[in-house]
Amino acid sequence: MLDIPNRGVHPVASAESPAREADPGLPEGDRARLDAAIDDLRTGAALWGKLTLPQRRTLLRRIRAAVVAVAEEWADVASTSKGLEPGHPLRGEEWLSGPYAALVALDAYTDTLGALARGASPLDDLRVDEAPGGRVRVHVLPTAPIDRLLLSGYTGEVWLQPGVTAAEAARTAGLGQLPGADAGGVGLVLGAGNVTAIPFLDVLYELLAFNRVALLKVNPTQDDLVPVYERALAPLIGAGMLRIVRGAGDVGAYLTTHPGIDHVHITGSVTTFEAIVWGSGEDAAQRRETGVPRLGTPITAELGGVSPIIVVPGEWSEADLRFQAEHVVTMRLYNSGHNCIAGQVVLLSADWPQREAFLAALREAYDAAPARPVWYPGAQARVDDAASAHPGSQRMGDGSRVLIEAAAADAAPVQTTEYFAPVLGVVELPGLGQDFVDAAVAHANTELTGTLGANVIVDPVTQAALGDAFEQAIAELRYGTVAINAWTALGFLTPTCSWGAYPGGTLADAPSGIGVVHNARLLDRVERSVVRGPFRPFPRSVAPANLAAGGRPSVLPKPPWFVSARTGAAVSEGLTRFRMDGNPVRLSATLLQAFGA
């Protein structure tokens, strides 16, 4: 670990100057240490290139053991850093979004390397069929019996880009781990500041998808986690395949233009991405005009966006209204809204007879969710800005949450500004049935900023009545992850799903980024992931009427990631500990706790 001290509160890589040699804010001693780290990684890259697939698999297992050893500390430090003190009902978020996500990803990558080492394709044990538009679709969840229990009723698919055949998908799955794959050199990972598993997972993807060792630049908001990252990733650090550095914008600016860096990956904001690529001020304007970026190194990015929640009108019970209102509130308030994939705009039918009943349930759930700090730098100011930009908005909870209800013509700010804070908008559109679905899809595609993720809530009777037209509408959504009766965060948490913007982002226009991560089966030419869940939880999910209507059966009550789950913290910790040791007694106790949600 190189301790480059923070200076000020600049973004991760604000790139205030166009060339690293001209940056007066970074002392020569810090530059020398960064240069030495990159030199170490050059040596580590050569070592990585010599490892066989079984040796690489063994290395992943060593990392897994290291994660197990630090998991409790990881969750505790992350919770405390976000103001969730011991006993807070939402501390389970940091188990799921930290060590749990790391463990399931390591297990999935280990399986992929095992298949490749046997001379098989990572797709050999998966169902492959067609999605709308003649696309190839790979079913990536569930892949094991335990998935069918822990995520009962949930499924995941990766849709490949049009033109990819099933044979090509099987042949190219493996990416950087295929025989003869090019060495990727040294990558710079500019770590996210909001979710603690993201830097860890991005390092793994650099290593496995691109054969690239990594220099991880930690966001200053994650500085308290650096000792945890160092121990969790110690096998990579010890082999010279990873170096971790702290620092503010001056460090990021120096590294993004360093001649020893072969690739840059960032999880962050569009503003930071544009500063890295084009610079700032008049220099950036001139570069954009000429089309010559400041950055001469390839870059991938995940940049967030404004995520829609399309609520398809149907005939819902009071229990349905309450459950789906809590579902929507979870999409917004998990991690206090500091998520790139947080649902921000509910698209609601103005003609739905139950419109007002749903809004009443939504207001109640939004107001009643557990109090927590708005902890991300600048977030409270964005909450205040949202309230000011939308006259008539409501302050809810302890006053830190804003609810905006508006007609489509009056909703521009909440549809175009990613607030990255507890701000939820409701935008009404006309129509019922397929007319509403088509209008909502078109509205999401054209009026909301970004292409990262979209959520759709639809009851089984309505979905069955819509038939193939509903699936075609899903295909028309231009988003990198689409969730049906689930939150797109499930796609993030499922390592075999891909995660990233819908294809088409460029250096000049990348509202949600370029490329994908996670994707543990290492599929090439990914278009999107689609996750599906049960409209109703247990026991209503197994009621004869629900099953007769085509509803998904599930043995799960309220999911532990719901902000309204009373036992969510204990269940999330228990599920992580089961992933750590596979103890069936522990799992049984955790499932009993889940039924107390």
Side-chain angles (χ1 to χ4, degrees):
M1 167 66 198
L2 301 177
D3 190 0
I4 309 299
N6 293 330
R7 295 181 177 82
V9 290
H10 302 292
V12 176
S14 56
E16 293 297 332
S17 58
R20 68 183 184 90
E21 293 83 358
D23 187 347
L26 192 62
E28 182 59 36
D30 289 348
R31 294 190 223 178
R33 284 189 286 274
L34 293 172
D35 293 346
I38 294 171
D39 287 343
D40 290 346
L41 289 169
R42 287 287 168 194
T43 302
L47 175 59
W48 171 254
K50 294 177 181 178
L51 296 184
T52 64
L53 288 172
Q55 288 171 329
R56 293 178 180 190
R57 196 165 183 247
T58 297
L59 183 59
L60 292 188
R61 286 173 169 161
R62 290 178 56 206
I63 298 170
R64 190 189 197 284
V67 170
V68 168
V70 301
E72 183 171 352
E73 181 183 0
W74 185 336
D76 182 63
V77 172
S79 298
T80 303
S81 72
K82 297 179 180 184
L84 303 178
E85 298 300 332
H88 195 285
L90 299 179
R91 283 173 69 94
E93 293 179 359
E94 299 309 316
W95 281 93
L96 291 181
S97 301
Y100 181 93
L103 289 167
V104 295
L106 286 164
D107 289 344
Y109 283 125
T110 299
D111 289 344
T112 294
L113 291 185
L116 292 169
R118 295 191 303 271
S121 168
L123 274 60
D124 283 353
D125 61 340
L126 302 179
R127 181 161 62 96
V128 179
D129 59 11
E130 283 194 3
R135 296 170 173 88
V136 166
R137 171 173 58 187
V138 183
H139 295 263
V140 297
L141 179 74
T143 58
I146 193 62
D147 295 333
R148 293 177 175 85
L149 176 61
L150 298 186
L151 291 172
S152 174
Y154 291 89
T155 59
E157 310 151 14
V158 176
W159 295 15
L160 303 182
Q161 296 175 19
V164 178
T165 66
E168 180 185 355
R171 186 178 66 254
T172 58
L175 297 178
Q177 302 310 300
L178 291 170
D182 292 336
V186 178
L188 170 64
V189 173
L190 298 172
N194 59 328
V195 174
T196 63
I198 292 177
F200 183 100
L201 297 176
D202 288 351
V203 165
L204 289 184
Y205 200 67
E206 288 288 291
L207 193 68
L208 296 165
F210 301 113
N211 255 347
R212 190 179 291 136
V213 299
L215 176 63
L216 171 60
K217 158 69 174 65
V218 177
N219 188 297
T221 63
Q222 303 283 10
D223 276 353
D224 289 348
L225 268 295
V226 167
V228 171
Y229 291 146
E230 288 178 325
R231 294 200 295 282
L233 292 163
L236 289 181
I237 295 172
M241 298 170 189
L242 174 68
R243 290 292 181 265
I244 303 176
V245 299
R246 290 185 175 98
D250 50 1
V251 174
Y254 182 79
L255 292 172
T256 54
T257 56
H258 197 288
I261 296 295
D262 299 294
H263 179 268
V264 176
H265 177 77
I266 176 175
T267 300
S269 70
V270 171
T271 301
T272 302
F273 172 83
E274 291 181 343
I276 292 170
V277 173
W278 300 103
S280 58
E282 293 184 7
D283 177 68
Q286 292 173 358
R287 289 183 177 279
R288 282 184 173 277
E289 186 174 342
T290 61
V292 179
R294 165 188 179 271
L295 184 70
T297 302
I299 185 170
T300 53
E302 193 266 84
L303 305 175
V306 175
S307 294
I309 308 167
I310 298 172
V311 179
V312 181
E315 294 186 21
W316 296 7
S317 68
E318 289 188 12
D320 294 336
L321 291 167
R322 288 194 302 272
F323 179 78
Q324 294 300 344
E326 292 175 15
H327 196 181
V328 170
V329 168
T330 295
M331 296 180 196
R332 177 68 271 182
L333 293 184
Y334 192 101
N335 198 24
S336 200
H338 310 316
N339 283 339
C340 56
I341 200 55
Q344 182 165 305
V345 174
V346 179
L347 296 179
L348 194 65
S349 169
D351 301 318
W352 185 21
Q354 291 183 290
R355 162 189 160 276
E356 186 51 46
F358 176 75
L359 284 174
L362 182 64
R363 295 182 196 113
E364 180 179 354
Y366 197 55
D367 189 59
R372 66 180 305 163
V374 177
W375 63 270
Y376 203 83
Q380 189 58 58
R382 291 191 293 275
V383 172
D384 298 338
D385 289 345
S388 299
H390 296 87
S393 60
Q394 305 170 61
R395 294 274 189 170
M396 307 197 81
D398 60 358
S400 65
R401 305 166 194 162
V402 169
L403 180 64
I404 299 160
E405 300 177 35
D410 304 320
V414 77
Q415 295 188 120
T416 56
T417 302
E418 182 190 12
Y419 285 111
F420 209 68
V423 175
L424 181 65
V426 178
V427 174
E428 297 188 0
L429 302 173
L432 294 169
Q434 193 65 44
D435 288 341
F436 171 78
V437 172
D438 292 341
V441 168
H443 189 91
N445 284 342
T446 59
E447 302 300 322
L448 273 59
T449 296
T451 66
L452 187 60
N455 310 274
V456 182
I457 298 174
V458 58
D459 69 87
V461 171
T462 301
Q463 184 173 348
L466 295 174
D468 291 343
F470 177 80
E471 284 297 309
Q472 185 57 46
I474 295 302
E476 294 297 324
L477 275 168
R478 295 195 297 270
Y479 287 84
T481 298
V482 178
I484 303 166
N485 292 330
W487 177 25
T488 45
L490 180 65
F492 171 90
L493 198 63
T494 300
T496 45
C497 286
S498 59
W499 185 253
Y502 191 79
T506 66
L507 295 183
D509 182 21
S512 286
I514 301 171
V516 301
V517 290
H518 303 186
N519 183 30
R521 295 290 174 139
L522 299 177
L523 302 171
D524 196 15
R525 297 181 63 190
V526 167
E527 182 185 69
R528 75 180 84 191
S529 285
V530 177
V531 294
R532 305 172 193 260
F535 178 75
R536 298 180 174 97
F538 184 87
R540 292 185 296 119
S541 64
V542 296
N546 183 64
L547 298 177
R552 289 180 165 229
S554 175
V555 300
L556 294 179
K558 187 179 296 182
W561 55 84
F562 269 41
V563 294
S564 55
R566 291 191 301 271
T567 61
V571 172
S572 298
E573 178 180 348
L575 291 177
T576 307
R577 291 190 181 279
F578 171 73
R579 287 288 187 179
M580 290 161 62
D581 60 18
N583 186 325
V585 175
R586 184 192 306 281
L587 178 60
S588 298
T590 297
L591 293 177
L592 286 174
Q593 288 176 309
F595 280 88

